[in-house]
Amino acid sequence: MTDLLSGLNPQQRDAVTVDGSPALVLAGPGSGKTRVLTHRVAWLIQAQEVVPHRIMAVTFTNKAAREMRHRIEELLGGRLRGLEIGTFHAICARILRREADFIPLGPDYVIYDTPDQLSLVKQALADLNMDDKRFPPTRMHNMISRAKNELIEPELYRSESYFAEAAGRVYERYMELLVANNAADFDDLLMRTALLLAENAAVRERYQRRYDHVLVDEFQDTNMAQYSLLRDLGSGHRNVFCVGDPDQSIYGWRGADYRNVQRFEENFTGAETILLEQNYRSTQVILDVAMAVIDKAPGRKKKKLFTDREGGPNVTLYESYDERDEAQFVVETIAGLVATAEANPGDCAVMYRTNAQSRALEDAFLRAGLPYKLVGAIRFYQRREIKDLIAYLRVVYNPNDSVSLNRIINVPTRGIGQKTLGNLKIWAEKRSGTLWEALDALARGEDSPFTGRALNALRGFAQMVRGWREVARELSVPEVLDLVIDETGFHDALDDGTEEGAERWENVVELRNVAAEYEGLNLETFLEEVALVSDVDNLPDDADAPTLLTLHSAKGLEFPLVFIVGLEEGLLPHQRSFDEPDGIDEERRLLYVGMTRAQDRLFLLYAFRRTVWGDNAISLPSRFLDDIPEELLSGNVPLRSERTTPAWADYKRAITWESDAAPPQKAAQTTTYRPGQRVSHAKFGEGVVIESRVTAGEEEVSVAFEESGLKRLIASMAPMQILD
DNA sequence: GGCTCATATTTTTTT
DNA sequence: AATATGAGCC
């Protein structure tokens, strides 16, 4: 039996052994909060003799849940049975299936992902005869989602504006459609569970008795619904243990509210607050840089993080020419450090603000012939062919899921076009039944307005689905998949001889492999797993290759070497954050989260110009860079005091000036280069000037290089020798 | 009914 | 740049 408390510092030990009162652990990055959580669960089981199934532990990702279970099992030296551990969404999904009697859904409800949700919002708009140009489905969906996260039901949704009033009507119809489809969206999982516990005393008390202890990780990123759930679960025994860090709150856009930390202190009076300030991850230099950035956040409770990893190499700040150059620097640096055995490829992570930025990086890795691991981007389960097959499985499981039914009724094409489908919907409405009920009636030979080809196509499809439903219970998930693929001619329709077709078929094979791993599990469990997996969940940790991921998905992870790219105005902070109330601050915290992932080395990069939407634009270094003391930086960017031709400093003034005063005039009015001149560039070699003009105060030269083709360069950035 | 080509529109971040 | 939608043609 291991001593659970040895090897913990005094604060960690206090946290692990909190007894008989609620606890709030404010844990800085790298302060061992995962350790505290796992040791506490183990301590409860071992020292307090709490039965595992009376403990609920909530994590932020499924991967974190798996790892935590694994670590606790290691600590206790045995398998844990019954410990309830998972994300809020996963735990709620299970509760709702069990308590389906109390909600307007059957226990066989399906979970809709974002695209499903969006198509249902469009349907709601259509039903209400509302124009989707004036009421964009994404915005409507956003407002609905926000309401749900705040536990506001349609009938309570009050409008302050015309637009919000419209959203309220869409919300109401959207909910009706979800119920009709026997479906729940992500937000429903939380809202329905939270409301059930809040409104039904019997159910609430049952769950209060069921769990003696509730532990929550990443507490700063909980929303109202999640908090309400937590309060109701914990109000009896008050054994609620929350771990979080307001400085790492980065999910405000999804309804997370770090003020839940204050609410917790109010609702759970007498809660013990424990600060974990010692960082065991990063060097002092990295920590100082990160703290310099976060300290500028307004209205923040200052925490003093410290580490015994004194000093460390300076943080590298690199200004690249464009996103290609940026990616190349990353790849070359990694390759260099690997060559000198200073790092393993798997020690490195490259982080960015938007998924779109991964492209340039992937290109550079591919060109260098180096493998990499990519989190997110085109998510596997979002690929068309995968979604199609999942939709088939969902229809087999729950044929009243009309979103899935609509998706596959003519995929692969089987002669059921817009017109026939429209008629089918009209007929279904006339019979006041669902789409599937109409199809089912057709298959049974009921009289219908359909004749000829349309009738045959519809009946054939319906009979095929009926056939699957009859045998599905006897078959494993991969067997059902095989049946669907076989009878629909999915392979031939997909693998059309093109490279893309072959790739899509590969994905189908991969899905079948995934399904095969669920051998023994039923369709219900498979569909639920698939609906709730996140990208980080699928991160393979065996491959020794650099990881490419967004700053958001980097939360909770750590790497010896971290590159953060695209530190530019408009990207980080992102353009879309500018008009959000807490927007810029959240961007700042996002950068802080990224920086504090690094253990040994941190590289910060920005590009002088970047292609955005196929347009090449000059970019400005991120304002956050200004907050970093220069003595902690090295790289290719001159000190602020020594900059002689800092092109961007003037742009910055031009863009950030507040008054109506004209932006400062720049020196460059005439061009140094003329069309037809032969020039030589250090990197691109020799070429001929095609054009040269002054844009935004900078001379922009287009040169046709013999080796490297046509380039557009900024004269002051990339000086060239004139050869004639 | 289905396919091809042209136009529009897009990208924050995720369960 | 890449994808989604829509018009027009077979």
Side-chain angles (χ1 to χ4, degrees), chain A residues 254-514:
Chain A
R254 167 176 131 174
D257 189 349
Y258 61 88
R259 282 172 304 184
N260 282 340
V261 172
Q262 286 144 40
R263 292 200 183 99
F264 183 86
E265 285 168 332
E266 286 161 25
N267 291 149
F268 291 94
T269 47
E272 253 186 77
T273 303
I274 295 157
L275 263 58
L276 301 184
E277 291 171 312
Q278 176 158 10
N279 177 297
Y280 294 95
R281 178 183 297 155
S282 312
T283 66
Q284 189 66 53
V285 167
I286 291 173
L287 219 47
D288 285 345
V289 168
M291 280 194 292
V293 169
I294 199 69
D295 273 345
K296 288 284 190 329
R300 159 175 178 275
K301 234 189 245 177
K302 264 206 181 181
K303 283 202 297 286
K304 35 178 195 327
L305 297 177
F306 60 95
T307 173
D308 49 16
R309 300 193 58 193
E310 276 170 44
N314 269 13
V315 168
T316 302
L317 177 62
Y318 182 80
E319 178 185 89
S320 69
Y321 177 66
D322 58 13
E323 70 273 9
R324 282 176 56 116
D325 183 24
E326 177 180 77
Q328 200 178 333
F329 176 86
V330 171
V331 172
E332 278 171 6
T333 307
I334 292 176
L337 290 166
V338 169
T340 55
E342 286 171 81
N344 299 312
D347 294 341
C348 309
V350 192
M351 303 175 186
Y352 35 82
R353 180 66 231 277
T354 66
N355 279 306
Q357 289 169 259
S358 73
R359 176 167 232 96
L361 290 158
E362 287 183 78
D363 278 352
F365 276 104
L366 285 171
R367 270 201 306 274
L370 297 172
Y372 59 88
K373 293 182 274 188
L374 180 68
V375 182
I378 334 106
R379 303 197 178 93
F380 182 69
Y381 290 105
Q382 310 261 90
R383 287 169 210 262
R384 196 179 64 212
E385 60 279 13
I386 300 303
K387 282 214 73 173
D388 288 342
L389 278 176
I390 301 279
Y392 270 105
L393 293 182
R394 283 173 167 188
V395 168
V396 170
Y397 178 63
N398 165 17
N400 287 323
D401 171 0
S402 70
V403 169
S404 297
L405 189 57
N406 266 304
R407 185 182 179 97
I408 52 143
I409 196 163
N410 201 30
V411 176
T413 52
R414 52 174 71 90
I416 306 176
Q418 288 297 312
K419 205 156 180 178
T420 308
L421 187 56
N423 288 335
L424 180 66
K425 282 180 182 166
I426 292 168
W427 189 54
E429 250 165 67
K430 207 179 273 170
R431 306 175 70 253
S432 57
T434 65
L435 211 56
W436 167 251
E437 281 159 7
L439 277 168
D440 197 37
L442 275 177
R444 288 194 315 262
E446 189 174 304
D447 276 348
S448 74
F450 297 100
T451 53
R453 264 202 305 199
L455 179 64
N456 276 332
L458 289 170
R459 190 175 276 165
F461 174 73
Q463 276 164 352
M464 189 164 66
V465 175
R466 273 171 65 101
W468 296 333
R469 282 177 58 74
E470 271 165 30
V471 296
R473 289 205 167 279
E474 319 294 321
L475 301 179
S476 69
V477 178
E479 283 167 341
V480 179
L481 264 178
D482 287 343
L483 201 58
V484 170
I485 292 169
D486 191 40
E487 290 190 17
T488 55
F490 210 83
H491 175 264
D492 291 346
L494 208 63
D495 201 354
D496 54 3
T498 65
E499 203 175 311
E500 195 195 353
E503 203 171 291
R504 289 188 182 278
W505 177 247
E506 288 284 301
N507 290 331
V508 171
V509 174
E510 179 60 27
L511 176 70
R512 207 194 161 283
N513 291 340
V514 174

Side-chain angles (χ1 to χ4, degrees), chain A residues 689-717:
Chain A
V689 174
I690 302 297
E691 183 200 37
S692 184
R693 60 199 162 100
V694 177
T695 310
E698 279 288 1
E699 181 177 357
E700 199 174 79
V701 199
S702 299
V703 186
F705 289 105
E706 282 154 10
E707 299 289 324
S708 334
L710 191 65
K711 300 274 177 201
R712 284 165 69 151
L713 306 161
I714 297 297
S716 64
M717 286 298 303

Side-chain angles (χ1 to χ4, degrees), chain A residues 116-342:
Chain A
D116 300 332
Q117 293 165 31
L118 227 45
S119 87
L120 212 59
V121 169
K122 285 179 193 154
Q123 160 103 57
L125 284 165
D127 290 354
L128 297 168
N129 284 320
M130 289 166 74
D131 181 4
D132 60 2
K133 291 280 183 300
R134 281 178 63 197
F135 305 102
T138 43
R139 282 197 61 190
M140 291 288 131
H141 179 254
N142 229 310
M143 294 175 86
I144 295 170
S145 174
R146 193 174 327 161
K148 287 186 177 184
N149 285 327
E150 286 170 18
L151 296 180
I152 301 167
E153 292 178 279
E155 56 271 25
L156 296 173
Y157 194 88
R158 289 281 171 268
S159 54
E160 302 111 55
S161 70
Y162 173 64
F163 203 74
E165 191 273 334
R169 281 185 292 147
V170 178
Y171 182 11
E172 192 173 0
R173 180 71 191 138
Y174 172 72
M175 282 311 266
E176 287 168 8
L177 288 172
L178 277 171
V179 171
N181 287 334
N182 195 16
D185 66 16
F186 291 138
D187 304 317
D188 282 342
L189 299 178
L190 305 177
M191 177 171 79
R192 289 199 183 280
T193 312
L195 290 178
L196 177 62
L197 290 195
E199 290 164 1
N200 188 319
V203 175
R204 178 171 64 245
E205 281 160 20
R206 191 143 47 78
Y207 279 92
Q208 285 177 348
R209 279 196 301 275
R210 166 88 156 76
Y211 299 109
D212 286 330
H213 287 270
V214 182
L215 298 90
V216 181
D217 194 7
E218 306 287 4
F219 182 60
Q220 77 284 350
D221 284 323
T222 53
N223 61 33
M224 197 56 206
Q226 291 164 331
Y227 180 73
S228 163
L229 202 58
L230 179 67
R231 192 187 48 206
D232 285 339
L233 282 170
S235 60
H237 49 65
R238 293 175 27 103
N239 290 323
V240 179
F241 186 88
C242 296
V243 184
D245 179 6
D247 290 339
Q248 296 184 60
S249 148
I250 54 173
Y251 282 94
W253 51 274
R254 167 176 131 174
D257 189 349
Y258 61 88
R259 282 172 304 184
N260 282 340
V261 172
Q262 286 144 40
R263 292 200 183 99
F264 183 86
E265 285 168 332
E266 286 161 25
N267 291 149
F268 291 94
T269 47
E272 253 186 77
T273 303
I274 295 157
L275 263 58
L276 301 184
E277 291 171 312
Q278 176 158 10
N279 177 297
Y280 294 95
R281 178 183 297 155
S282 312
T283 66
Q284 189 66 53
V285 167
I286 291 173
L287 219 47
D288 285 345
V289 168
M291 280 194 292
V293 169
I294 199 69
D295 273 345
K296 288 284 190 329
R300 159 175 178 275
K301 234 189 245 177
K302 264 206 181 181
K303 283 202 297 286
K304 35 178 195 327
L305 297 177
F306 60 95
T307 173
D308 49 16
R309 300 193 58 193
E310 276 170 44
N314 269 13
V315 168
T316 302
L317 177 62
Y318 182 80
E319 178 185 89
S320 69
Y321 177 66
D322 58 13
E323 70 273 9
R324 282 176 56 116
D325 183 24
E326 177 180 77
Q328 200 178 333
F329 176 86
V330 171
V331 172
E332 278 171 6
T333 307
I334 292 176
L337 290 166
V338 169
T340 55
E342 286 171 81

